[in-house]
Amino acid sequence: MASINPHINFNGNAEEAFNFYKSVFGGEFVRIMRFKDLASEEFPVAEHESNKIMHIALPIGKSVLMANDVPEVLGRTNENENRSKIVVSAESKDEADKIFNGLSAGEQIEMPISASPWGSYFGMFRDQMELNGW
């Protein structure tokens, strides 16, 4: 069965926020990746952004809270906005493909579903509610 996990975007303070969440919820981070960990010719990283969080995950019960810092090149994220990212975890690639393809049909795909650099099967899209500002 599919499960849903929240994902939060930050403007450079993801690590601070997640250390706070860890102090409240307990547990250990599943993974912490920094932008410098992915730096390459194809993915150059500015020195001042190299230690920012590319991906962080903290299990909370049966869910996983995840986040990243948004690179400056993508603009600042409004941390007070009411829109959210929703991460759907599936038990298989087939189930993930079915869910992703169903939810993203006719939508603006930002990243096609595929193996990610941080070890998961990942895709991203904007749905109509987000595109229309609902």
Side-chain angles (χ1 to χ4, degrees):
M1 176 174 201
S3 63
I4 295 179
N5 300 282
H7 185 279
I8 307 168
N9 290 319
F10 290 93
N11 290 312
N13 57 335
E15 186 168 16
E16 176 184 354
F18 266 63
N19 281 322
F20 170 72
Y21 298 147
K22 182 179 172 182
S23 77
V24 172
F25 292 107
E28 296 297 325
F29 298 128
V30 175
R31 181 175 311 266
I32 299 175
M33 289 189 69
R34 299 183 187 282
F35 283 102
K36 67 182 177 184
D37 298 332
L38 299 176
S40 67
E41 286 185 27
E42 298 83 35
F43 187 72
V45 176
E47 180 63 33
H48 70 280
E49 293 197 302
S50 65
N51 281 317
K52 288 184 179 180
I53 300 295
M54 195 308 192
H55 178 76
I56 190 167
L58 176 67
I60 300 174
K62 293 184 179 182
S63 297
V64 179
L65 179 61
M66 293 174 274
N68 67 279
D69 288 316
V70 176
E72 290 175 7
V73 69
L74 297 179
R76 289 188 56 81
T77 186
N78 181 348
E79 292 176 0
N80 295 316
E81 70 183 0
N82 60 5
R83 296 179 304 161
S84 301
K85 302 280 188 210
I86 298 175
V87 176
V88 179
S89 299
E91 292 184 5
S92 69
K93 284 185 178 181
D94 288 339
E95 182 183 30
D97 285 337
K98 180 180 177 186
I99 292 169
F100 183 86
N101 292 333
L103 292 174
S104 67
E107 307 297 350
Q108 180 182 335
I109 294 176
E110 294 180 338
M111 179 178 284
I113 194 163
S114 65
S116 73
W118 56 88
S120 68
Y121 192 59
F122 178 83
M124 190 167 53
F125 65 93
R126 292 182 181 262
D127 65 21
Q128 282 302 105
M129 290 186 287
E130 186 175 4
L131 289 171
N132 292 321
W134 298 340

